[in-house]
Amino acid sequence: SDPRARSPLAGHGLREGDELVAVAGRAPDPVRGPAPLLAGNGGATVELAVRRGPDGPVRRVAVTPLTDERPIRYQDWLARRRALVREFSDGLCGYLHIPDLGGSGWAQFNRDL
């Protein structure tokens, strides 16, 4: 419900198991991964080359990395709590979290309600 908490990869048709071949034309280090290539690029468009399967064609997608991952981590935390409440109550209870009593907290509460 928070537009700042959307994955940069959402809407690109990527799936679990897709291989990241390059970030801005550079192959990620096999040990350190893509994080060093993405560092400092928050808010700027970056081209990723991805491949589905070992023999699949490489395709390029433009993404804008997050400048702050806290909103997306909060939404993940919230989704896990909601799933637990739903599971433990056999779907009879729901879960709402008010992060704070400021304007953004009430806006989040209203979106979720």
Side-chain angles (χ1 to χ4, degrees), residues 30-98:
V31 175
R32 296 179 4 175
L37 299 175
L38 293 168
N41 287 310
T45 303
V46 177
E47 182 184 83
L48 304 179
V50 294
R51 176 175 37 225
R52 182 159 295 149
D55 298 324
V58 173
R59 69 182 181 106
R60 290 166 173 46
V61 295
V63 299
T64 304
L66 299 172
T67 57
D68 183 2
E69 65 184 40
R70 287 176 294 180
I72 202 167
R73 287 188 181 275
Y74 168 73
Q75 290 299 326
D76 178 61
W77 174 84
L78 194 56
R80 286 184 283 126
R81 296 300 177 284
R82 287 180 177 158
L84 281 173
V85 168
R86 190 172 30 257
E87 177 187 344
F88 292 157
S89 71
D90 292 325
L92 298 176
C93 296
Y95 181 87
L96 286 174
H97 180 257
I98 303 173

Side-chain angles (χ1 to χ4, degrees), residues 10-26:
H12 287 286
L14 300 176
R15 299 190 306 219
E16 185 175 337
D18 287 355
E19 177 187 5
L20 179 62
V21 178
V23 176
R26 297 174 55 202

